[in-house]
Amino acid sequence: MSALPSDIVIVRAAPPSSFDEDAPATAPPAAPTRIPAAVGEPAWARRLLITAAMLFLSMFLFVPLVAVFVQAFAKGIGVYWAALVDADALSALKLTLIAAIIAVPLNLVFGVAAAWAIAKFDFRGKNILLTLIDLPFSVSPVIAGLIYVLIFGLQGWFGEWLRDHDLKIIFAVPGIVLATIFVTFPFIARELIPLMQAQGEEQEEAARVLGASGVQILWRVTLPNVKWALLYGVILCNARAMGEFGAVSVVSGHVRGVTNTLPLHIEILYNEYQFAAAFAVASLLAALALVTLVLKYMLERRVKASLEKGASE
Amino acid sequence: MAALALPMRRHSVLPGFGLALGFALLYLAFIVLIPLSAAFLKTFTISWDAFWNAVTAPRVLASYKLTFGASFLAALINGVFGLLIAWVLVRYPFPGKRLVDALVDLPFALPTAVAGIALTALYAQNGWIGRFLPFKVSFTPLGVLVALTFIGLPFVVRTVQPVLEDLQKELEEAAATLGASRWQTFTLVIFPALMPALLTGFTLAFARALGEYGSVIFIAGNMPMVSEITSLLIITKLEQYDYTGATAIAVVMLVTAFVLLLLINLLQAWARRRQGR
């Protein structure tokens, strides 16, 4: 486990680095860098560390990502297209979209409400509330599905009542939506809360003094101030909502064409040895992940900038 | 909850406190707190002995051993390589650096099922990577380690990276001026400053790995006593309509997760104090 030590110990044997600063002309030409030699590593060590990092990332990130797309087209574009327009795949896509379209706005409303209360007011138990909001992140997805089975499943608290009224939650769409809401619960709130806390309440108070109503304050002052963080949270929330596997798997019942989401559809295809089709559907979700990463990357700096602006005001 | 959340501040001119907090608490209770309490209440319906037998059966113990062991090892690997990746991204210029930086978050964004089938195909014996390895990875406990390493990868990088960026160059220069070698500067100056962030990232990766399901089940082979993780065992019990057995194991995992959450909060408080100094 000591890739670093052996690389760096030898640095001591390198030419006395403290001299390099006085005589930059003698610095190795292969290292055109702003890092002063006294606090940097020699070029060969740098190259070694970069290579090691890239090798690790290749084995665990880059190659798997490329593999998804290569395997998807392994049997040609015809098989690829057929896998995507298959009736079961389309109904899985539809259910995935439904789950996200319900879960994301609900968690968005919750995020704004929770952030408004936490950031703009003082009350007892605020820290407990903050911890509880993050709780779903530390619950295993499988357990997230299990708890809804315990409540709405046939043996659960409301199982008999639901059956008597001919309602189905577990092994049906409502269960999938509930499980999706649970696993994506904290995403938007945890982006908004720190930002709104940093921004304080002066602007809202000024708007209030000038006669703005609560709704006007929210629409014209608060939400414009946090729009990038909000979008950032929505994007992360949506990615997870569309990709969730474990929790949805527990409550879905795996009825083809009825209660299968895209990730579950991938599992079925894969277990039936339809590898090209499985990877074709997977490539859709991988493309979604890439779009998410691009948007995330673009928004990240704006969110950071507004956080710093809020903190300095 | 309502009793805990009584307003106790000077009167605010802003409206909507009651509505916002009320909705937030109600939603939190219905989506998270009441369902989670169902798991704990369910275990109260069985005797202590029955609970103990359910959570310490040999097959369950074997699954803990695999889940905790592989999660720990994966977090350790991510600790070492996460530090290396963060270091390289912060300190060295190289072509494609911004792309690499953005791609580090891939395991957060890529659905676990997609990661699972991709890793399985790559590390199978005829796969792109598996064919160069002298030992079997897919469908063995090693496969579990590979999947858990993948999903935990961003945590250490993303916790260490900002601390490394904020690290004062002057400290290293001072160490060098006082005659420290680069290695001494790293072990005695840089590493201690990164320690809280590193530990936080390690614990986050470990906690995430403990509950992982989607990516593991494809690559593990899922042999009872050998390559069966605890999450899968919970599902197996559910499918056999052994709800109490499934819930008992789930409660063990939940309590572990809560303890880890507490630990992460303490670590982050420690890290903030260290950084604030």
Side-chain angles (χ1 to χ4, degrees), chain B residues 5-218:
Chain B
L6 283 177
M8 46 157 254
R9 57 163 292 172
R10 61 197 192 288
H11 190 70
S12 169
V13 297
L14 294 179
F17 174 69
L19 183 70
L21 188 68
F23 174 76
L25 288 179
L26 207 67
Y27 189 75
L28 179 73
F30 275 107
I31 297 290
V32 179
L33 299 180
I34 296 174
L36 271 181
S37 64
F40 289 93
L41 290 175
K42 178 86 180 169
T43 54
F44 291 144
T45 61
I46 56 172
S47 70
W48 172 253
D49 284 341
F51 174 81
W52 187 249
N53 287 337
V55 299
T56 57
R59 189 171 163 190
V60 184
L61 288 180
S63 85
Y64 295 148
K65 218 172 112 189
L66 174 67
T67 308
F68 281 82
S71 298
F72 187 83
L73 277 179
L76 214 57
I77 294 172
N78 279 322
V80 173
F81 283 94
L83 176 62
L84 173 67
I85 293 163
W87 178 270
V88 165
L89 284 176
V90 172
R91 292 287 168 107
Y92 306 146
F94 59 91
K97 175 168 158 165
R98 283 170 63 180
L99 183 70
V100 172
D101 193 12
L103 275 177
V104 164
D105 282 327
L106 185 70
F108 285 155
L110 193 71
T112 50
V114 178
I117 62 170
L119 291 171
T120 310
L122 286 179
Y123 286 87
Q125 274 181 309
N126 58 354
W128 292 356
I129 297 178
R131 73 176 62 161
F132 298 111
L133 300 173
F135 42 81
K136 239 180 118 176
V137 176
S138 285
F139 317 118
T140 73
L142 262 183
V144 178
L145 184 62
V146 167
L148 295 181
T149 305
F150 172 84
I151 55 136
L153 202 150
F155 288 101
V156 174
V157 183
R158 292 306 185 219
T159 47
V160 171
Q161 207 175 6
V163 182
L164 202 51
E165 271 164 6
D166 289 348
L167 208 64
Q168 289 176 320
K169 255 307 170 9
E170 289 81 356
L171 290 176
E172 290 169 56
E173 285 166 1
T177 315
L178 293 170
S181 72
R182 194 64 192 138
W183 175 239
Q184 283 173 322
T185 307
F186 181 80
T187 50
L188 300 175
V189 178
I190 303 173
F191 192 74
L194 299 180
M195 201 54 197
L198 195 61
L199 271 177
T200 307
F202 172 88
T203 317
L204 283 169
F206 179 63
R208 172 78 169 79
L210 280 185
E212 177 57 16
Y213 172 73
S215 57
V216 175
I217 55 153
F218 292 99

Side-chain angles (χ1 to χ4, degrees), chain A residues 12 35 39 41 46 59-61 64 107 110 116 121 124 138 140-141 146-148 151 181 208 245 296-297, chain B residues 4-5 13 15 17 20 27 31 35 91-92 98 103 105 117 120 122-123 150 173 181-183 211 214 250 257:
Chain A
R12 238 184 288 190
I35 306 170
V39 291
E41 289 74 40
R46 253 181 279 160
M59 279 180 65
F60 286 98
L61 277 192
N107 285 336
F110 165 73
W116 180 263
F121 300 89
R124 219 176 307 187
S138 54
S140 159
L146 168 83
I147 56 180
Y148 290 110
I151 292 179
I181 293 175
R208 184 65 173 168
F245 180 77
K296 182 174 182 293
Y297 190 78
Chain B
L4 281 170
V13 297
F17 174 69
Y27 189 75
I31 297 290
R91 292 287 168 107
Y92 306 146
R98 283 170 63 180
L103 275 177
D105 282 327
I117 62 170
T120 310
L122 286 179
Y123 286 87
F150 172 84
E173 285 166 1
S181 72
R182 194 64 192 138
W183 175 239

